[in-house]
Amino acid sequence: MEISNIKEIQKSFTVQAGHFNDSSMNFSKEDYLAYTVAATAVSKTDGVLEVAAGTCATGRAMAPYAASVTCLDVTPAMLESGKHEAEKHELHNMVFVCGEAEKLPFLDGSFDIVISRLAFHHFTDIRKPFQEMARVLRPKGKLVLIDMEAAEKSLREREDEIETWRDPSHVRNLSREEIQSLFHEHSFGITKCESTKIPVSLSAWMDLTRTPDFMREKIRKDMKDEIAGNSKTGFSPYQKDGEIYFDQRWLLTIGEKQ
């Protein structure tokens, strides 16, 4: 089964590849990566798979503590960026594979830990990649899913609309209940599920995807309108140091395969 929006994903992330590791974007925030490694409790005997890995920020953070890390992504430019960073930091236990999350090219039970970060909101069918991640995980292994938590129900469509204006490869953010149901449907015992606010600069957020000027102004206007007390966007923007910011809600969920 092919990802229905694969061309949009590849187009968007080919553009983002050169700047995805920029700390100003917060997508590679060091303290959150360190926390993810600690929460996952990676050990020197673990084989780790990062699915839809992008520039492999999480995989690279885990590599010093794991036996091996395999990073899979559908966009070659993102993998090349991740590989370059791994080589620069002498992470020699990493493998980079170009492939789709919906059809992982690995045998059943191949990994001790399978993780995906900030990817599921790009999938048109969230069950297929989750099913594949569960398949390649060994019994008692850990599946780790990190993604942006959706706004409250009344604002979800509005939030996703603005997300898509900024990045056409966005499909929709998932609620905590939707994410937990994926784990339950596949017989995982959830051991952790918690949300962390990640402050994001509106300008940096749009710079990353090279959002066209006319769309940037449209988004900025809606954010300013909400700050002024008008229609809500689902982002809850605020002013900080003369710029517009908003907080993404990163939901970390860890489950054990039964």
Side-chain angles (χ1 to χ4, degrees):
M1 176 180 178
E2 186 174 338
I3 308 172
S4 63
N5 62 333
I6 188 171
K7 290 183 180 179
E8 287 287 1
I9 290 173
Q10 290 175 323
K11 179 180 178 181
S12 177
F13 284 93
T14 296
V15 169
Q16 296 181 49
H19 302 275
F20 209 76
N21 293 312
D22 189 331
S23 61
S24 70
M25 303 303 178
N26 285 301
F27 298 123
S28 301
K29 199 172 178 66
E30 293 300 324
D31 55 354
Y32 191 88
L33 286 170
Y35 173 69
T36 301
V37 173
T40 307
V42 187
S43 76
K44 281 294 186 180
T45 60
D46 287 333
V48 178
L49 170 65
E50 184 179 12
V51 175
T55 59
C56 316
T58 307
R60 287 186 278 113
M62 289 186 169
Y65 308 97
S68 64
V69 175
T70 301
C71 292
L72 177 139
D73 197 86
V74 76
T75 305
M78 295 292 274
L79 284 176
E80 283 298 324
S81 177
K83 185 178 181 181
H84 174 76
E85 289 295 315
E87 291 172 348
K88 186 168 72 174
H89 292 92
E90 299 184 346
L91 300 173
H92 303 302
N93 60 338
M94 297 188 70
V95 177
F96 303 87
V97 178
C98 191
E100 299 174 16
E102 280 83 347
K103 44 186 179 183
L104 298 176
F106 310 110
L107 298 175
D108 295 359
S110 295
F111 300 94
D112 302 289
I113 297 171
V114 178
I115 185 166
S116 185
R117 185 185 74 140
L118 302 179
F120 267 63
H121 63 274
H122 293 288
F123 297 147
T124 54
D125 176 6
I126 59 173
R127 284 174 174 76
K128 184 59 178 176
F130 194 96
Q131 179 182 322
E132 279 289 276
M133 290 169 65
R135 178 184 65 78
V136 302
L137 185 65
R138 68 165 177 79
K140 300 299 181 183
K142 285 175 279 192
L143 194 153
V144 184
L145 184 59
I146 301 168
D147 208 355
M148 297 178 295
E149 185 176 3
E152 60 187 85
K153 192 172 182 178
S154 63
L155 294 172
R156 286 187 65 178
E157 288 189 11
R158 184 74 177 111
E159 180 188 48
D160 284 330
E161 180 182 37
I162 294 173
E163 288 274 11
T164 306
W165 288 350
R166 177 253 181 181
D167 179 1
S169 72
H170 176 87
V171 176
R172 68 187 187 96
N173 290 334
L174 302 175
S175 68
R176 179 182 296 249
E177 292 72 25
E178 286 175 303
I179 290 174
Q180 288 181 339
S181 70
L182 284 174
F183 283 82
H184 293 146
E185 286 170 16
H186 293 82
S187 301
F188 276 82
I190 296 176
T191 59
K192 183 181 288 290
C193 187
E194 61 183 28
S195 184
T196 301
K197 287 184 178 180
I198 306 291
V200 177
S201 158
L202 179 63
S203 294
W205 184 65
M206 295 188 291
D207 286 346
L208 182 62
T209 50
R210 300 296 188 269
T211 303
D213 288 342
F214 78 94
M215 196 60 79
R216 292 170 70 101
E217 289 309 310
K218 191 174 181 180
I219 294 171
R220 191 176 295 279
K221 179 182 180 302
D222 284 359
M223 297 291 185
K224 286 182 177 179
D225 283 349
E226 179 170 358
I227 292 172
N230 298 316
S231 298
K232 293 184 177 182
T233 61
F235 285 79
S236 300
Y238 54 90
Q239 293 279 354
K240 176 183 173 184
D241 301 327
E243 291 189 47
I244 297 175
Y245 276 75
F246 61 91
D247 292 335
Q248 288 182 336
R249 301 166 301 280
W250 288 13
L251 187 65
L252 167 67
T253 309
I254 302 177
E256 182 178 283
K257 185 175 181 179
Q258 302 301 305

